[in-house]
Amino acid sequence: MEIKDLRERILEEIGAAGSAVQLEQVRIKYLGRKDGELNNFLKGLKDMPEEERRRVGPVLQGLRRELEDLLEKAGERLSKETEENKKPIKSGGLIYNPKVGHLHPVTQTIRDLNGYFASLGYSVVDGPEIETDEFCFERLNVPKDHPAREMQDTIYLKQPQYLLRTHTSSVESRVLAKFEPPYKVVCPGRAYRNEKVNRSNHFVFHQYQGFAVMPNASLKDLFGTLTGLFQRLFGPKVVVRFRNKYYPEVEPGVGPDMLCFNCSGKGCGVCKGVGWIEMGGAGLIHPNLMKMAGLDTKKWRGFAFGLGLDRWVMARYKIDDIRVLTGGDLAYRYEYDENTF
Amino acid sequence: MKILFSQIKEFVPKLKAAPKEVGERLTYLGFMMSSLTSVKYLGKQDWLMDLEVRQNRADCYSVLGVAREVASAYGLEIKLPKVKPPKAKPVMTRVKVSSPKAVRRIMATEFDNVSNGDSPKWLKDWLAFYDLPDVNVLVDLTNYVMMLTGYPSHVLDADKINGPVTWSLNQPNFKSITTLNGQEIKLKGGELLIHDDRNPLSTSLVGGRAAEAGKSTTHAFLEIAVYDPAVIRKNSRELDIATEASKFLTKDLDTEGLKYAADLLFSMAAELSKGEMRKIYEFYPVKRKMQAINFEPSLAERLAGIEITPQEAARNLKRLRFTGQMTGKVWKVIPPPDRTDVFSPEDVAEEVIRLTDFRKIPSNLAPAWPPVKDITPRRVRLCDRFRNILSDNGYDEIISLPMVASDWNKETNYLGWQEIIAENAINEEYPALRESLIYGLLAQAESYRLKNLDHLKIFELGRTFGKINGSFSEKESLALLAHESGVADPTGETERMARDLLGKIGLKEISVEIARRAPNLAKENTSKDLLVRGEWIGILYTIKPQKLTGNLDLGQTAVAEIDLDALTELLGNDKEKAATQLTQKLVVLDGNMEVPNGVSLASRVKDLRGRLGEKNLWSLEIKDKFVKDGVTRYTVRVSYFGLNDLEAKQLHQRIFG
């Protein structure tokens, strides 16, 4: 055995130890009273010929002193790093404080929106993620042969009836069927579409859906509600527009857009040159939906809206890969920069 | 849909608005302009607009369609290219329609002595703006007419056709077709084909090579048709074909408008190919007839929330080419034939509001509506409460993938569920729905451990899925994970937290006992069932020493998983209900309700609700039914809210006697 090799090995393992526990394991390995490798060599000195003992002994003793010294210094370093780890780490406006727990950024965003809608008297409802074709499509005015079906790649559990919901609008169709109006509801949740996973797309994503069924809901009511929502999400200076846009489950249909916060409407990569960012879909609930739910369209009218949540969460929390939201590394991303928008 | 501004101006010559303004107007009308690019066309400055056309507006998938919309928006006339069909030779082309239900209208003819060379430069340049290659003049014309009018057509070399050109659904008499670009498509049967006695010549969506029209063609067959869009959509899906033509033919095209497109195609073919046209064949079994819609003009105002006078409504509809009677309280309006998307009074109202302009509807005030009943389910509030408690106790929330590899389910399953596998998931690594939240927590824990986080507390609230007795089922679950290096028994933390959680929502009699069933992932003799008042609600265990990805030992990791649906049910029976928002007690009383023969239960219940009033009615349930002496009686359980016992009984007595 070469003492030089032993020394190099010990130094390498001390350097690689990333925690106090690992460092202790190194100490036990080489200096442990029972089976420590270096200790065993020192114990073996008494059995060596005297000449060899005189040569090797001081070297081994020196190595032991060096090892103890290195272990002490490494221990101090690790202990300092651990303390520093416990302090809030500030990086690019983001703060991670490991002493308190954190809610997921998607949850935080949903709570923020729920808070706004609670102030308007909305209930929060959820619904099944395994859905039937009836509640996911038919009752949303998308019968089997409708062209709109082609826009959504459905994940089927058992064709044609059972699937994973492609949008949270299925909760709307269930509430319409189950409850007598009036009501105001938001239903945040997860939806699924058969897409390949990459940086900006995922087969599982989060939506924020809302609807109200009242005696006299109008587009004016819808626009006012959504403007308040966007102000809550993006600040009071947000500029919003509402244009006509077709969706099978609403009539008239509305496409709400926000003026691009990055270029103020001039056109850039964030808004794909348009100057405006599409926020989702909305409109007055189609009378077919109401009739299918057994509601009298002369007595009740409603509006509905749906937003994709994930990209707003990503923008708010400066996350550039959607995969981080499900099972990714969020250890350092729990608070957001209020100056984003 | 890309369109040159000069093309809009060509068909709306009195248009004075600038391209940007026109684009903005179209955006608010439902055709969002995503780009406006300065270009040179025919040596002149021009603008290329990229517009979104949604699938309800088949009539606008064309230059003329968009031009019509612009003309309507500005109250201007549209000027269509004049078309004069050429004089036809008194020879009929040979056509047969064997599947009349799949075909709504066909116009077809043959041209003799054609010169099918290169297209003139203007036509090549025009096609280039639409990213369409120039092939020969007749093929190029079919593309030109398609983009201009929205009606696809085909040209075939008539000398290569054997027998009459036949439209029919494949029986299947043809097994495959080779397309113009050389691709062989297998046919299964049911496809709408254009064929002769020997070969398929074309599908409705893409041309075939058998009778391809080339530069040497001297005898051409031209057809233009509208089909049942449901058949075309089915064919497109099953054959996995998506072409420019399919974009149009899968929509509900106006059969009346086909005539103009056919006349245009045939007249231009005669002019540019110098061919002699034969008599036009036409198949049009059912002429389209637009139905009048009863429309109250006040509906537009009510839906918009702003004033829209009947005069303005009538003006807007006329601009959009609606006809009919527009006076009185209820109008009878007839949409133009190309508006196959307008059926109901609400559709008409949308047209009125669109042209009034969405920008006129204020957007600065949320409605001041009276309060309504809160229908938030108890479980939603419970989940919120748990999140608060856990984060206050240093737990981080994660969200993991709900679709997993099958192996993961085998490791974590302890409820005896059967796995649910997606039939068509394209992400092969994740074919199954998760039966437990634990593996997601472990995967997250490992990724955090790689960053030297020795002390880890994480949780997830989410759905777990499985088949129970063959039926799909899902549950809301809560799972916790605590990992701490150097700790002998990590279950202490998770058990403590689970008990704390349950205690904070007012539950007592919380106990643990040896688990009846343990997952494979659990270290031996560590699994414990979590019980409340003897009822099972969850499981705790330590993870068996193992390495998820081969890097780290997660042996000092404990987990807990709680079935929140079971817990919510328990809370339903719990008098304390600390997690719910109900602040007053309910008074629950039963009563009998008779339903005479011929009267519906629903109407009796509705009547009963009306008499009870909404103010103090919490719920009304039908609990039992019995028939005696020919009379059906129901036991009705009524829960009263906001009343004391005496008040509730008095009200109950008044209604039920």
Side-chain angles (χ1 to χ4, degrees):
Chain A
M1 185 269 313
E2 287 286 300
I3 294 174
K4 190 180 159 194
D5 291 339
L6 177 64
R7 183 175 178 275
E8 275 170 18
R9 200 156 32 98
I10 292 170
L11 290 179
E12 201 181 308
E13 287 183 26
I14 291 175
S19 68
V21 169
Q22 287 169 359
L23 201 63
E24 176 63 12
Q25 284 167 350
V26 172
R27 190 195 68 76
I28 292 168
K29 184 177 177 183
Y30 293 103
L31 291 178
R33 238 177 304 161
K34 256 189 171 177
D35 260 319
E37 228 174 289
L38 184 56
N39 249 1
N40 284 343
F41 280 120
L42 285 164
K43 282 180 203 166
L45 276 175
K46 65 180 186 335
D47 299 322
M48 282 182 193
E50 191 180 350
E51 201 176 287
E52 200 179 339
R53 192 168 62 237
R54 278 193 190 146
R55 185 175 58 81
V56 171
V59 177
L60 284 175
Q61 296 284 5
L63 182 57
R64 184 168 76 175
R65 281 193 293 275
E66 188 184 10
L67 176 60
E68 283 166 350
D69 191 42
L70 283 170
L71 283 167
E72 196 183 329
K73 284 196 172 100
E76 280 170 12
R77 173 179 54 80
L78 281 171
S79 146
K80 190 177 170 210
E81 278 172 5
T82 306
E83 277 309 304
E84 279 174 2
N85 277 345
K86 285 185 184 161
K87 289 179 199 157
I89 298 160
K90 199 164 177 180
S91 169
L94 302 167
I95 300 168
Y96 173 56
N97 186 339
K99 283 184 182 168
V100 300
H102 303 83
L103 294 178
H104 195 282
V106 168
T107 299
Q108 291 186 52
T109 308
I110 289 173
R111 278 196 170 189
D112 209 2
L113 298 178
N114 285 355
Y116 166 67
F117 282 102
S119 71
L120 297 177
Y122 280 66
S123 305
V124 181
V125 173
D126 64 6
E129 292 181 18
I130 295 178
E131 258 302 353
T132 60
D133 188 272
E134 181 188 354
F135 283 97
C136 195
F137 294 115
E138 300 261 351
R139 282 183 179 248
L140 292 167
N141 207 28
V142 185
K144 280 196 174 30
D145 205 36
H146 198 283
R149 293 255 191 158
E150 290 156 25
M151 283 162 43
Q152 295 180 7
D153 290 321
T154 309
I155 298 177
Y156 283 96
L157 303 180
K158 189 174 168 61
Q159 294 202 50
Q161 200 184 1
Y162 294 102
L163 44 93
L164 291 173
R165 68 182 181 192
T166 54
H167 42 211
T168 44
S169 310
S170 56
V171 181
E172 179 186 334
S173 57
R174 285 193 176 269
V175 170
L176 287 174
K178 185 177 174 185
F179 292 95
E180 194 67 33
Y183 38 72
K184 298 178 276 188
V185 175
V186 288
C187 37
R190 193 158 35 208
Y192 302 77
R193 293 200 191 164
N194 213 0
E195 300 212 12
K196 280 280 186 195
V197 176
N198 56 38
R199 205 179 176 83
S200 51
N201 286 311
H202 211 296
F203 67 84
V204 57
F205 53 96
H206 298 88
Q207 288 188 326
Y208 197 87
Q209 181 87 10
F211 54 96
V213 178
M214 302 293 285
N216 52 3
S218 68
L219 287 177
K220 187 173 116 184
D221 298 326
L222 170 63
F223 293 3
T225 304
L226 289 180
T227 300
L229 165 64
F230 297 141
Q231 285 170 345
R232 179 70 165 231
L233 262 179
F234 306 111
K237 291 183 186 167
V238 68
V239 176
V240 186
R241 73 177 182 187
F242 298 98
R243 54 187 168 85
N244 181 233
K245 185 174 180 183
Y246 167 76
Y247 294 98
E249 60 262 55
V250 287
E251 185 78 352
V254 177
D257 301 329
M258 174 178 81
L259 191 71
C260 181
F261 55 86
N262 193 50
C263 65
S264 300
K266 293 188 186 71
C268 67
V270 171
C271 61
K272 296 172 195 168
V274 179
W276 293 85
I277 300 173
E278 292 186 57
M279 301 303 293
L284 296 187
I285 297 177
H286 200 290
N288 285 355
L289 269 71
M290 307 278 274
K291 285 171 192 165
M292 279 191 270
L295 297 176
D296 184 350
T297 53
K298 286 192 170 28
K299 200 174 159 193
W300 302 108
R301 214 156 50 236
F303 66 61
F305 59 88
L307 313 176
L309 260 187
D310 291 345
R311 64 179 170 144
W312 299 119
V313 173
M314 288 165 67
R316 239 186 179 194
Y317 291 84
K318 292 187 169 34
I319 296 168
D320 56 11
D321 188 327
I322 196 172
R323 291 169 287 197
V324 167
L325 293 180
T326 40
D329 176 11
L330 287 173
Y332 301 99
R333 297 176 192 274
Y334 284 104
E335 294 187 27
Y336 69 93
D337 184 352
E338 284 177 7
N339 297 317
T340 299
F341 301 109
Chain B
M1 167 79 203
K2 288 190 180 161
I3 184 166
L4 284 169
F5 186 67
S6 60
Q7 288 166 347
I8 296 177
K9 281 216 70 167
E10 185 185 338
F11 301 120
V12 190
K14 291 185 179 169
L15 179 68
K16 293 198 180 350
K20 191 174 173 202
E21 190 207 310
V22 171
E24 202 172 270
R25 185 82 172 102
L26 285 170
T27 294
Y28 281 95
L29 282 171
F31 307 90
M32 192 181 82
M33 182 173 73
S34 55
S35 68
L36 180 67
T37 315
S38 170
V39 296
K40 271 264 196 290
Y41 179 64
L42 299 180
K44 290 180 188 166
Q45 172 70 44
D46 207 334
W47 296 89
L48 186 64
M49 303 166 96
D50 196 348
L51 302 170
E52 180 191 39
V53 178
R54 304 285 283 171
Q55 77 263 47
N56 64 319
R57 294 302 302 269
D59 60 305
C60 285
Y61 275 118
S62 64
V63 173
L64 284 179
V66 173
R68 270 194 201 100
E69 196 70 14
V70 171
S72 297
Y74 288 92
L76 300 171
E77 292 289 317
I78 187 165
K79 187 179 144 201
L80 293 180
K82 278 197 172 46
V83 179
K84 196 180 166 188
K87 202 168 168 199
K89 283 162 56 171
V91 181
M92 183 62 97
T93 188
R94 300 151 299 153
V95 174
K96 205 162 82 174
V97 181
S98 301
S99 299
K101 285 187 177 161
V103 182
R104 289 185 175 174
R105 190 175 186 179
I106 298 171
M107 292 180 76
T109 188
E110 287 178 50
F111 283 82
D112 299 304
N113 303 315
V114 301
S115 295
N116 194 26
D118 280 341
S119 294
K121 187 173 184 302
W122 72 263
L123 182 52
K124 287 186 187 181
D125 289 343
W126 200 98
L127 290 174
F129 264 108
Y130 292 95
D131 298 323
L132 291 166
D134 55 285
V135 181
N136 54 59
V137 69
L138 289 175
V139 169
D140 294 349
L141 272 177
T142 60
N143 284 329
Y144 172 75
V145 169
M146 178 175 72
M147 298 311 293
L148 192 72
T149 66
Y151 291 93
S153 54
H154 283 122
V155 57
L156 303 169
D157 188 325
D159 286 338
K160 295 176 185 172
I161 298 172
N162 302 284
V165 176
T166 307
W167 271 258
S168 70
L169 292 173
N170 193 16
Q171 289 310 310
N173 19 340
F174 299 106
K175 303 295 177 202
S176 69
I177 179 171
T178 303
T179 64
L180 289 170
N181 60 6
Q183 187 193 359
E184 191 183 351
I185 295 175
K186 293 268 182 276
L187 301 172
K188 293 173 197 164
E191 301 90 359
L192 180 61
L193 295 178
I194 304 167
H195 61 91
D196 62 11
D197 289 341
R198 289 188 209 162
N199 297 303
L201 305 175
S202 174
T203 71
S204 55
L205 301 166
V206 67
R209 208 166 241 194
E212 182 182 358
K215 284 187 177 170
S216 58
T217 295
T218 55
H219 178 198
F221 176 91
L222 265 75
E223 62 83 9
I224 187 166
V226 172
Y227 305 110
D228 177 354
V231 170
I232 308 305
R233 283 197 291 271
K234 187 167 181 282
N235 288 177
S236 177
R237 246 187 345 261
E238 288 172 357
L239 296 175
D240 197 21
I241 293 177
T243 59
E244 276 297 324
S246 60
K247 197 171 74 178
F248 300 96
L249 294 172
T250 51
K251 309 295 184 293
D252 195 3
L253 291 177
D254 168 32
T255 44
E256 285 293 296
L258 185 77
K259 172 94 172 50
Y260 177 81
D263 287 345
L264 181 67
L265 175 67
F266 299 152
S267 64
M268 290 189 79
E271 184 193 332
L272 294 180
S273 75
K274 310 281 184 250
E276 296 149 4
M277 192 178 84
R278 295 190 186 186
K279 224 169 149 184
I280 296 171
Y281 166 87
E282 184 168 13
F283 174 83
Y284 193 11
V286 179
K287 200 173 152 71
R288 186 181 205 110
K289 204 177 165 189
M290 298 307 284
Q291 300 293 328
I293 301 168
N294 290 336
F295 173 67
E296 286 182 42
S298 60
L299 179 62
E301 193 171 80
R302 293 200 306 272
L303 295 188
I306 57 168
E307 188 188 9
I308 300 177
T309 62
Q311 291 76 21
E312 187 176 353
R315 186 204 69 185
N316 290 350
L317 290 176
K318 283 171 186 167
R319 279 189 176 181
L320 288 163
R321 297 170 293 120
F322 281 65
T323 55
Q325 166 248 319
M326 295 187 204
T327 51
K329 197 175 171 220
V330 179
W331 299 353
K332 283 190 182 325
V333 299
I334 303 168
D338 52 308
R339 292 305 306 272
T340 54
D341 60 308
V342 178
F343 300 105
S344 67
E346 285 80 8
D347 294 334
V348 179
E350 182 181 37
E351 294 305 296
V352 170
I353 300 169
R354 264 192 337 119
L355 233 67
T356 298
D357 204 331
F358 274 34
R359 285 174 285 192
K360 290 188 179 159
I361 302 174
S363 61
N364 54 345
L365 273 178
W369 285 329
V372 297
K373 189 155 71 179
D374 187 354
I375 57 172
T376 303
R378 183 185 290 118
R379 194 187 66 201
V380 167
R381 298 191 197 282
L382 187 66
C383 288
D384 241 14
R385 188 88 200 277
F386 280 157
R387 284 192 175 94
N388 290 345
I389 296 167
L390 286 164
S391 59
D392 287 346
N393 277 271
Y395 278 76
D396 288 341
E397 184 186 19
I398 70 141
I399 294 177
S400 65
L401 286 174
M403 294 192 77
V404 298
S406 286
D407 289 348
W408 293 17
N409 279 334
K410 287 193 184 92
E411 292 294 298
T412 54
N413 182 1
Y414 60 94
L415 291 171
W417 287 356
Q418 293 160 298
E419 191 174 58
I420 300 174
I421 304 268
E423 285 186 353
N424 63 331
I426 58 174
N427 294 286
E428 298 97 4
E429 312 97 86
Y430 319 114
L433 285 171
R434 67 183 174 199
E435 294 176 21
S436 164
L437 297 175
I438 297 302
Y439 229 89
L441 289 178
L442 283 180
Q444 192 78 63
E446 188 169 80
S447 80
Y448 283 174
R449 281 280 294 123
L450 287 168
K451 289 171 170 48
N452 289 331
L453 286 170
D454 273 344
H455 308 274
L456 192 58
K457 294 196 292 190
I458 53 178
F459 77 95
E460 182 170 6
L461 271 154
R463 300 287 165 89
T464 53
F465 308 88
K467 259 196 269 190
I468 301 171
N469 298 326
S471 298
F472 293 120
S473 185
E474 60 185 273
K475 290 178 183 287
E476 190 76 25
S477 299
L478 163 67
L480 324 173
L481 178 147
H483 171 87
E484 193 159 353
S485 300
V487 169
D489 176 18
T491 50
E493 163 58 29
T494 45
E495 187 178 332
R496 181 198 68 76
M497 193 65 242
R499 284 176 179 273
D500 196 28
L501 271 175
L502 299 172
K504 280 199 163 70
I505 60 165
L507 289 172
K508 294 181 174 140
E509 298 176 61
I510 302 159
S511 58
V512 294
E513 57 187 48
I514 294 172
R516 282 166 294 169
R517 271 192 292 209
N520 290 345
L521 198 60
K523 198 171 173 184
E524 219 170 306
N525 300 323
T526 63
S527 300
K528 300 173 202 169
D529 282 337
L530 185 61
L531 306 155
V532 172
R533 294 200 294 267
E535 300 278 344
W536 180 91
I537 57 139
I539 190 167
L540 312 157
Y541 56 93
T542 304
I543 303 290
K544 211 185 279 185
Q546 62 162 314
K547 295 165 188 186
L548 205 65
T549 62
N551 288 330
L552 292 170
D553 183 345
L554 290 170
Q556 288 157 318
T557 302
V559 295
E561 192 160 19
I562 297 172
D563 180 341
L564 291 180
D565 288 338
L567 187 61
T568 313
E569 251 187 72
L570 268 180
L571 279 170
N573 299 327
D574 197 295
K575 291 187 173 60
E576 291 173 58
K577 293 188 185 134
T580 68
Q581 297 296 303
L582 193 59
T583 55
Q584 301 177 43
K585 72 167 189 174
L586 297 178
V587 179
V588 183
L589 296 163
D590 285 354
N592 288 331
M593 177 178 74
E594 273 185 33
V595 180
N597 284 339
V599 176
S600 76
L601 175 61
S603 64
R604 283 290 284 135
V605 168
K606 195 176 168 186
D607 172 59
L608 182 59
R609 283 180 70 119
R611 287 188 290 133
L612 285 165
E614 295 296 325
K615 188 179 165 214
N616 297 114
L617 178 63
W618 182 255
S619 69
L620 194 157
E621 294 174 88
I622 304 291
K623 297 304 285 182
D624 203 0
K625 171 186 171 183
F626 54 98
V627 181
K628 191 182 173 185
D629 301 331
V631 176
T632 307
R633 287 189 184 82
Y634 292 86
T635 303
V636 179
R637 181 157 295 168
V638 186
S639 301
Y640 295 96
F641 166 74
L643 297 173
N644 62 33
D645 284 348
L646 182 61
E647 286 164 343
K649 278 175 186 165
Q650 282 171 345
L651 173 56
H652 198 76
Q653 188 84 5
R654 273 204 304 279
I655 303 298
F656 289 96

